[in-house]
């Protein structure tokens, strides 16, 4: 009985967040509006299956296809537990992106089609980080606090 209960608890705890956007579907094209050649604003993100004991959300958007290694487009933590991140909004604390700015920087590949990972994490705590913390600092701070995570992949080519 104890093994069955542990198996059920593990399955529930490992249930992924579902991340969607009204602007694009998973592995589909990101509209120009949300890129560096458009309005350079973040798309809306809908988040479902958030665990009940979540205290905050964190977001990392990056491009693993960048020529000099993964490029970070957005870092944000201490987002309230909400089911929608509105377009052109920053409900949490923004950290440094790959350009050294504390804001969203839209997809902007130098050549070819790139994949942009919009990752959302449900955390069991609010994080205490210095303003301007980067992706690596956020990942280290989240270690041991992630209840669930999910991602949405968008494509863009100039």
């Amino acid at each position: 009985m104890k093994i069955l209960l542990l198996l059920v608890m593990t399955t529930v705890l490992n249930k992924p967040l579902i991340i969607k956007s009204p602007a694009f579907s998973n592995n589909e094209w990101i509209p120009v509006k949300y890129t560096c050649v458009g309005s350079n604003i973040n798309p809306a993100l809908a988040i479902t299956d958030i665990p009940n004991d979540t205290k905050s959300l964190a977001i990392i958007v990056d491009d693993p296809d960048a020529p000099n290694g993964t490029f970070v487009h957005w870092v944000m933590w201490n987002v309230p537990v909400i089911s929608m991140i509105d377009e052109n909004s920053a409900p949490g604390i923004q950290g440094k992106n790959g350009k050294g700015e504390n804001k969203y920087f839209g997809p902007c590949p130098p050549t070819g089609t790139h994949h942009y990972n919009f990752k959302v994490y449900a955390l069991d705590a609010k994080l205490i980080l210095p303003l301007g913390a980067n992706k690596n600092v956020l990942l280290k701070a989240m270690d041991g606090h992630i209840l669930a995570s999910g991602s949405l992949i968008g494509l863009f080519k100039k």
Side-chain angles (χ1 to χ4, degrees):
M1 183 67 167
K2 287 182 182 180
I3 293 173
L4 178 60
L5 180 60
L6 182 60
L7 180 61
V8 170
M9 287 176 61
T10 302
T11 302
V12 170
L13 289 176
N14 290 332
K15 186 176 181 183
L17 298 177
I18 305 299
I19 313 302
K20 294 183 179 182
S21 177
F24 63 96
S25 297
N26 193 46
N27 286 310
E28 296 294 333
W29 297 100
I30 298 170
V32 170
K33 176 180 185 178
Y34 306 107
T35 72
C36 71
V37 294
S39 299
N40 206 22
I41 60 172
N42 67 281
L45 298 174
I47 308 157
T48 56
D49 292 345
I50 301 170
N52 290 335
D53 47 348
T54 300
K55 302 290 188 250
S56 69
L57 301 173
I59 298 172
I60 297 173
V61 178
D62 59 23
D63 170 11
D65 302 322
N68 296 321
T70 301
F71 186 88
V72 178
H73 288 267
W74 202 18
V75 176
M76 187 165 47
W77 64 91
N78 289 351
V79 176
V81 181
I82 52 179
S83 60
M84 178 66 78
I85 306 294
D86 292 329
E87 173 183 283
N88 196 26
S89 72
I93 300 170
Q94 296 183 96
K96 287 208 184 311
N97 62 29
K99 292 184 69 74
E101 300 171 332
N102 295 339
K103 64 180 187 175
Y104 173 85
F105 179 69
C108 199
T111 60
T113 301
H114 286 221
H115 298 77
Y116 296 88
N117 298 313
F118 290 76
K119 297 174 275 193
V120 180
Y121 302 87
L123 306 176
D124 67 1
K126 286 189 174 184
L127 302 176
I128 299 172
L129 294 173
L131 291 177
N134 63 22
K135 173 185 169 180
N136 291 334
V137 172
L138 175 57
L139 287 171
K140 185 175 180 182
M142 289 192 308
D143 188 34
H145 294 287
I146 299 171
L147 299 172
S149 65
S151 69
L152 171 68
I153 298 172
L155 308 174
F156 187 67
K157 177 180 179 178
K158 282 186 188 172

